[in-house]
Amino acid sequence: MELKDGESAGNAENDVEIENPEKSEKAEILQSLDKSLGKSTEESPEAKNLRYFKTKKIRFGPIEYQIVTQNINGPCPLIALINALVLKGKLTIPSSYVVTSTNLLNLLTNVILARAPPENDEKLKETFEANLGDVMNIMETLVNGLDVNVKFSAVDTFEFTPALSLFDLVSVNLYHVWLPDPQFTVLYDLIRNLNYNELVEKMCGDQSTETELLRTFYDESISQITFHGLASLMERMKDGELAVVFHNNHFSTILKRRDEIFKLVSDEGLCDEPNIVWETFSSVDGDCIFVNGDFGNFKPITPPTTHPSPESFEKLQISDNSPIEQGIEAVEHTSAHHSAPVSPQHRAPAPPAPQTARAPPETSPTRNSGAGGKSCLIM
């Protein structure tokens, strides 16, 4: 007998599981897939690796959305894909502050099943079911990451794997920005027809001019991004397109807007900063600028500076009968008559130090370090 969410074992001991005759078509498809794949519903790897993610409310255009943030390595492909679908309006994240990996996988599965072709198109349905079986086989591993093998011929080319079927099934493009520059013809001809695994194999071959060139390219683009790759991504993406990019062993949600590309900020450390929504994606060095939901430069909110009122200035002025005036008059009177020194016990008290009003210093913009050592310029 299975325990439902939020149900304790003590409460379930006397309950009898009742079959629901009105099972949805989605549930039947998932059940048949589980049987065909030989999966056990009692203790799945998903249950063992249950993870929790904070959500963040952002504004994208005139609408507010709830996105998922990340605090550990691994689940970035799942989070990037979910956030892209959220901003496309294909799914909605619950308004609760925290969601689980199970919630996200269920939402993603519902989106895939909703895109099933009509029954009368047998050929398309057969292709869909084959891809669906491959995707369901890797679905639970998305929490731990995703293996992709980029090809250096174009920003949208990868070695085909079941993982790529996932992006096809939900109609979200996957890109990378790791391309050789065609201006360097010798290096370009060596690399353009290779994928990442083949590049590594050739780098490990016998010492030669070719291996040296390949190693130079690898070392100079260790973050998996090049100028030509960024320029090609700009040309390939359509204006307003939401997609996922793989770079620096990380998956991110990206958007092209008015000839500029932005990455969605999904760092949990900025979960409580609603005015940091996107960051520019235009530098191979990792430098970026945070922007808000209107794509204006982020400006930290400084505490209001209080200025003394005219009434407070009047209170600071010294009155005619203050001890300071009395002390000055006593000194002048003594000097004028050349009198004997005043004994210590009859000396006027020393005047207190004048008090001045100072405003607190304003907070100036600072530089933040993002994940992977990139510096984000806050303007």
Side-chain angles (χ1 to χ4, degrees):
M1 179 174 59
E2 295 182 3
L3 291 179
K4 298 180 181 179
D5 291 341
E7 184 180 38
S8 65
N11 294 334
E13 286 180 355
N14 298 325
D15 293 341
V16 178
E17 186 176 359
I18 301 175
E19 290 291 337
N20 185 0
E22 298 180 355
K23 288 186 176 180
S24 65
E25 183 180 357
K26 296 178 182 179
E28 292 177 355
I29 294 175
L30 288 175
Q31 188 177 23
S32 62
L33 284 171
D34 287 342
K35 290 180 179 179
S36 63
L37 295 172
K39 293 182 179 179
S40 172
T41 57
E42 295 180 358
E43 190 178 17
S44 64
E46 176 187 345
K48 293 180 180 179
N49 298 324
L50 186 65
R51 298 188 183 182
Y52 298 85
F53 308 100
K54 289 183 179 180
T55 64
K56 175 181 180 179
K57 181 179 290 186
I58 66 167
R59 186 168 54 81
F60 181 46
I63 305 175
E64 289 186 339
Y65 296 90
Q66 203 83 7
I67 65 169
V68 184
T69 63
Q70 179 181 353
N71 64 342
I72 54 176
N73 293 328
C76 59
L78 174 62
I79 292 176
L81 191 55
I82 288 288
N83 286 337
L85 292 171
V86 167
L87 298 182
K88 278 174 167 278
K90 301 300 182 182
L91 62 83
T92 303
I93 299 296
S95 58
S96 58
Y97 189 57
V98 176
V99 293
T100 67
S101 53
T102 302
N103 297 145
L104 300 183
L105 292 174
N106 288 340
L107 289 170
L108 184 56
T109 301
N110 290 338
V111 172
I112 295 173
L113 295 177
R115 297 179 60 84
E119 293 289 337
N120 56 4
D121 195 336
E122 294 184 0
K123 185 175 182 181
L124 190 59
K125 182 181 178 182
E126 183 179 349
T127 303
F128 174 81
E129 290 179 351
N131 290 336
L132 180 62
D134 292 337
V135 167
M136 295 306 298
N137 197 29
I138 66 162
M139 186 70 77
E140 294 174 356
T141 65
L142 289 176
V143 179
N144 299 317
L146 193 65
D147 292 330
V148 292
N149 187 15
V150 304
K151 290 185 176 181
F152 299 105
S153 55
V155 292
D156 58 349
T157 56
F158 297 80
E159 183 183 22
F160 180 78
T161 61
L164 296 184
S165 298
L166 171 61
F167 291 89
D168 292 337
L169 287 175
V170 295
S171 296
V172 174
N173 290 326
L174 175 64
Y175 297 106
H176 69 87
V177 282
W178 201 4
L179 296 181
D181 194 332
Q183 294 182 359
F184 303 100
T185 55
V186 176
L187 182 61
Y188 179 74
D189 291 337
L190 284 175
I191 297 177
R192 63 176 179 171
N193 294 322
L194 302 178
N195 59 40
Y196 172 74
N197 291 339
E198 292 170 342
L199 173 67
V200 173
E201 290 177 5
K202 288 183 174 292
M203 285 171 51
C204 297
D206 296 334
Q207 188 72 19
S208 64
T209 303
E210 178 180 322
T211 57
E212 285 298 321
L213 287 173
L214 295 177
R215 287 172 182 169
T216 300
F217 169 78
Y218 182 83
D219 292 339
E220 292 181 352
S221 58
I222 192 67
S223 296
Q224 303 163 348
I225 182 172
T226 62
F227 288 109
H228 183 59
L230 279 174
S232 299
L233 180 65
M234 180 68 70
E235 294 177 1
R236 181 67 180 84
M237 290 186 71
K238 300 176 182 178
D239 189 42
E241 179 183 352
L242 284 157
V244 174
V245 66
F246 173 78
H247 123 80
N248 201 18
N249 292 328
H250 186 73
F251 294 82
S252 303
T253 306
I254 56 173
L255 167 72
K256 182 180 178 181
R257 179 181 182 273
R258 298 178 182 177
D259 296 327
E260 194 168 4
I261 298 177
F262 298 89
K263 285 201 304 185
L264 184 67
V265 177
S266 58
D267 187 353
E268 186 182 293
L270 298 172
C271 186
D272 297 323
E273 181 47 78
N275 290 322
I276 295 181
V277 180
W278 303 92
E279 60 179 286
T280 56
F281 186 48
S282 57
S283 171
V284 298
D285 299 323
D287 295 333
C288 66
I289 299 175
F290 286 135
V291 298
N292 55 30
D294 295 320
F295 298 92
N297 290 352
F298 166 72
K299 295 181 180 179
I301 301 176
T302 57
T305 303
T306 57
H307 298 283
S309 61
E311 291 79 6
S312 63
F313 276 116
E314 292 178 1
K315 293 180 181 179
L316 292 175
Q317 292 178 354
I318 302 173
S319 63
D320 293 337
N321 296 325
S322 67
I324 297 178
E325 281 295 334
Q326 295 175 4
I328 293 175
E329 290 177 358
V331 171
E332 291 177 348
H333 179 75
T334 303
S335 300
H337 294 82
H338 303 283
S339 59
V342 182
S343 60
Q345 60 269 28
H346 293 97
R347 287 179 181 172
Q355 300 293 319
T356 58
R358 295 184 179 178
E362 295 186 358
T363 304
S364 59
T366 58
R367 287 182 178 266
N368 287 352
S369 272
K374 60 185 179 183
S375 59
C376 296
L377 176 61
I378 300 178
M379 301 185 66

